[in-house]
Amino acid sequence: MKAMKTPSTLVAIVAAGTIAVAVLTSTANGSPADDPDDILPGILPLDSPATPRPTATPTTTPQPGTFTAGPSLAPACTGVAIKPGQEAADIVDAYPNGTTFCFTAGLHRITRTIHPKADQVLASDQDAVLTGSVPLTKWTASDGAWVTTGVLPAAYGRSGQCEDNVADICYLREQVFVDGKHLTRVAARDKVAPGTFYADYGANAVYLGDNPAGKSVEMSKTDVAIRSSATGVTVRGLTVEHFATPPQGGAVVLGLNWKVSANDIRWNHAVGAMLVNADGAVLEKNLIQYNGQLGVGQYSTLNGTISGNQVSNNNTDGFWIADWESGGIKTTWSNGGSVSGNLIKDNRGVGLWSDAYDDGRTFSDNQIVDNAADGIRYEIGRNGVIENNVITGNGLGTGRGSGTSLWDGGGINVNTSSNVQVRNNVVANNVNGISIQSRTRGSGPWGKNVLRDIVVSSNQVTMKGGTSATGMVQNSGAVIPAGEVTLNGNTYILDSLTTNRFQKTGQWYTARQWRSTGQDTNSSFRTG
């Protein structure tokens, strides 16, 4: 855990409380399910005529549907026009509270951060692009590469943690784009090759591995696009790209009661959109993609709403996938509010992460697909609800800190938190199913950080490969008291009923053995 300073409709998945009777449909050796030796005590066979079959959770995994977000949803804009070539920050400064500004079509170079006043609207209905980059035009051939000088800032200190902790260059903010293509930064001049660049801050020189002749070469420079302490600001219909945001910093920083909707926030160095002390703010229906560290961050916010966004392909600049704040969405030190109805897909990190003293947060109705680390991680928080999400194909990334044990996470990972309800989710084909972790994590504003009162119910969990498991782990300094973790009323779809797919504090169990521990006594275990 690192504290942060910082499509359309989800398919209806599961109805709570639908599992009244649990069944085994087959065994590993293919013997009939109604063989008395293959039916757990108190469990009815499928073909029993005496009792109606229960209504069960789905046996197929819903796939991500169509999803609409971004500038195409923005309504018409009427107000003060801002045209390409004009200094947008100066124009916004010159008008009073409540003014609407309409960015016209084209590329708007933002050379200093825009600071809107209370209730101002920054909008476009013409696909306006706000860029924080500058063109690089003066190139000289240099030993198989091309170099330009005099374009970099002075060298600055490290922050953040990189996947490659040897080269350790992910924190460097300036990105380079050739004809719109993001180049990969390398750590030394002799590593420059096609598709890469090297920035030598001491010599104030940028080296390319591609011949820039006849091409557009841009380097991100301005750090933040839009940020202010004013309340009630609206930002909509804009494309915001190429800002040299520092680690944990957003290209668009929301404040109190802001509404940021129908934008495309992309290819910024660190975080796309940040909610910071942004009580009542709404971030909805945006495309938030290809940012260098994280799609969305939230810090110290009461009742913020993050909904209906497509958050995909973030962490392009190599931040640590397994255990630093890279990936899709991360929230910390926030109370109430929700993250709901988002598509969170293909991020190189955790899909949706609550970390460090979130209280009363709800994560619901999201599609969380193919993220490199956990689908959902709920860490050192309390009073959380994780419900009605579809969580598939997560946690299968490789690299520093990645792994396959319950300590490494799963589709859903509840870590050293209290009073968390995990219900009505579809969790399929992730590195693990549901991982409950109790770790020694010190103390905080609520006292000692402990794992308590976790209830996992009415979920459908598919586990068919490798060492995939559901269960709980603890370290020696954080033993889980009896009765503090309850799993029941779930449906498990397994490769075999005799494979060890469940774990409790180091001991592995088959489905039958798992029930004997007192967990999932009224759950369904199936193959197929």
Side-chain angles (χ1 to χ4, degrees), residues 99-434:
T99 303
T100 295
F101 301 94
C102 301
F103 287 82
T104 62
L107 188 68
H108 297 253
R109 294 200 181 275
I110 306 302
T111 62
R112 66 182 183 87
T113 300
I114 300 169
H115 298 289
K117 299 182 179 72
D119 302 316
Q120 287 187 338
V121 177
L122 307 179
S124 179
D125 57 5
Q126 300 182 22
D127 297 323
V129 177
L130 277 57
T131 182
S133 65
V134 294
L136 304 182
T137 57
K138 298 179 180 179
W139 295 95
T140 303
S142 174
D143 295 329
W146 288 263
V147 62
T148 189
T149 59
V151 297
L152 290 170
Y156 45 86
R158 288 178 171 82
S159 60
Q161 296 188 37
C162 306
E163 180 71 15
D164 179 356
N165 60 342
V166 177
D168 198 23
I169 55 176
C170 68
Y171 73 96
L172 294 167
R173 305 169 193 173
E174 290 70 36
Q175 299 168 302
V176 176
F177 302 85
V178 175
D179 287 342
K181 180 181 177 181
H182 172 264
L183 301 186
T184 299
R185 181 189 294 274
V186 295
R189 166 68 179 84
D190 61 3
K191 302 294 185 182
V192 174
T196 71
F197 78 100
Y198 169 61
D200 184 337
Y201 289 82
N204 198 351
V206 174
Y207 294 85
L208 289 187
D210 300 278
N211 187 343
K215 299 176 181 177
S216 169
V217 184
E218 302 255 336
M219 184 186 76
S220 56
K221 183 175 182 181
T222 306
D223 60 350
V224 179
I226 302 168
R227 177 181 60 199
S228 81
S229 59
T231 64
V233 172
T234 297
V235 179
R236 67 171 185 252
L238 302 172
T239 294
V240 180
E241 66 179 19
H242 300 182
F243 285 84
T245 46
Q248 300 180 316
V252 178
V253 183
L254 286 72
L256 186 67
N257 291 320
W258 282 39
K259 184 174 182 179
V260 174
S261 65
N263 301 284
D264 187 353
I265 304 173
R266 67 191 188 191
W267 293 116
N268 302 290
H269 172 250
V271 186
M274 278 291 306
L275 290 75
V276 181
N277 299 316
D279 297 357
V282 175
L283 180 73
E284 66 177 7
K285 299 181 181 178
N286 301 280
L287 296 171
I288 304 175
Q289 55 188 339
Y290 299 103
N291 295 288
Q293 176 202 338
L294 186 69
V296 179
Q298 176 174 302
Y299 171 73
S300 188
T301 291
L302 176 66
N303 294 327
T305 298
I306 301 170
S307 68
N309 303 285
Q310 179 174 312
V311 182
S312 61
N313 297 288
N314 295 289
N315 190 16
T316 59
D317 281 0
F319 288 85
W320 188 12
I321 293 170
D323 212 25
W324 204 71
E325 54 192 57
S326 63
I329 300 174
K330 186 172 184 182
T331 80
T332 69
W333 291 89
S334 294
N335 288 18
S338 64
V339 180
S340 63
N342 302 281
L343 174 61
I344 305 170
K345 188 175 188 293
D346 290 326
N347 298 287
R348 297 181 66 238
V350 178
L352 172 53
W353 189 355
S354 170
D355 185 15
Y357 309 110
D358 271 357
D359 192 354
R361 306 279 284 128
T362 297
F363 296 164
S364 66
D365 300 290
N366 300 287
Q367 300 179 55
I368 303 176
V369 184
D370 294 340
N371 299 285
D374 299 325
I376 294 179
R377 184 182 297 179
Y378 201 94
E379 180 176 5
I380 311 184
R382 67 182 184 184
N383 305 323
V385 176
I386 301 169
E387 64 182 0
N388 300 333
N389 302 284
V390 175
I391 305 166
T392 62
N394 300 283
L396 302 174
T398 60
R400 184 164 65 99
S402 298
T404 60
S405 78
L406 286 180
W407 286 112
D408 300 305
I412 298 175
N413 171 2
V414 179
N415 180 347
T416 320
S417 295
S418 62
N419 190 27
V420 179
Q421 304 285 321
V422 180
R423 62 197 184 207
N424 303 339
N425 302 284
V426 173
V427 183
N429 304 318
N430 303 282
V431 64
N432 288 299
I434 298 176

Side-chain angles (χ1 to χ4, degrees), residues 485-488 504 513-522:
V485 178
T486 301
L487 295 91
N488 217 359
K504 182 178 180 181
Q513 294 165 342
W514 178 242
R515 291 188 74 246
S516 72
T517 70
Q519 298 291 350
D520 283 306
T521 57
N522 194 32

